[in-house]
Amino acid sequence: MKVKKYHKLVRDRIPEIIESDGKQCVCEVLSSEEYLVLLDEKLQEELHEYEESKSLEELADLLEVMYAVVKARGWSVEKLEQVRKEKAKQRGGFEKRILLKEVQVRE
């Protein structure tokens, strides 16, 4: 029997999908602390995948992990959106495509 090892946070239905393909998998349910660590790793993984592909699908995966992080940290998606809007109101968004090149300070 061929075995491929992983240490990776996966979506909830992945074990079901693997088993429906006639394979067996070994999984465990993480503690809250382990979950947060692996969510942070998953966030980096998804960001890297988006950077390589520039695909909408990878961006959606990144957003899904962000929502999971928000919930795992006891926040809400509504609160996240509220904070995002407040920052946009105070500092603006990124629509104007401004590149800051230097700041001059009089001495």
Side-chain angles (χ1 to χ4, degrees), residues 3 5 8 12-13 17 26 45 50-52 54 56 63 67 75 77 79 81 88-89 91 93 96 99 102:
V3 175
K5 300 269 184 181
K8 180 177 179 175
D12 297 341
R13 293 196 58 228
I17 292 168
V26 177
E45 174 191 332
Y50 169 73
E51 289 174 329
E52 285 186 347
K54 304 295 190 237
L56 187 59
L63 188 58
Y67 285 166
W75 303 322
V77 173
K79 180 64 176 174
E81 183 60 16
K89 183 178 178 183
R91 298 179 147 235
K96 293 182 180 179
L99 171 66
E102 67 181 41

Side-chain angles (χ1 to χ4, degrees), residues 61-74:
D61 288 346
L62 184 58
L63 188 58
E64 188 70 32
V65 177
M66 289 173 62
Y67 285 166
V69 170
V70 166
K71 291 176 188 173
R73 295 206 175 270

Side-chain angles (χ1 to χ4, degrees), residues 35-86:
Y35 181 51
L36 284 170
V37 168
L38 289 179
L39 273 174
D40 287 344
E41 287 178 17
K42 191 69 168 179
L43 201 56
Q44 292 300 318
E45 174 191 332
E46 296 298 345
L47 177 58
H48 180 71
E49 289 175 4
Y50 169 73
E51 289 174 329
E52 285 186 347
S53 71
K54 304 295 190 237
S55 76
L56 187 59
E57 184 175 318
E58 291 301 339
L59 200 55
D61 288 346
L62 184 58
L63 188 58
E64 188 70 32
V65 177
M66 289 173 62
Y67 285 166
V69 170
V70 166
K71 291 176 188 173
R73 295 206 175 270
W75 303 322
S76 70
V77 173
E78 294 79 18
K79 180 64 176 174
L80 174 66
E81 183 60 16
Q82 176 187 351
V83 170
R84 186 200 66 77
K85 284 180 179 178
E86 287 172 11

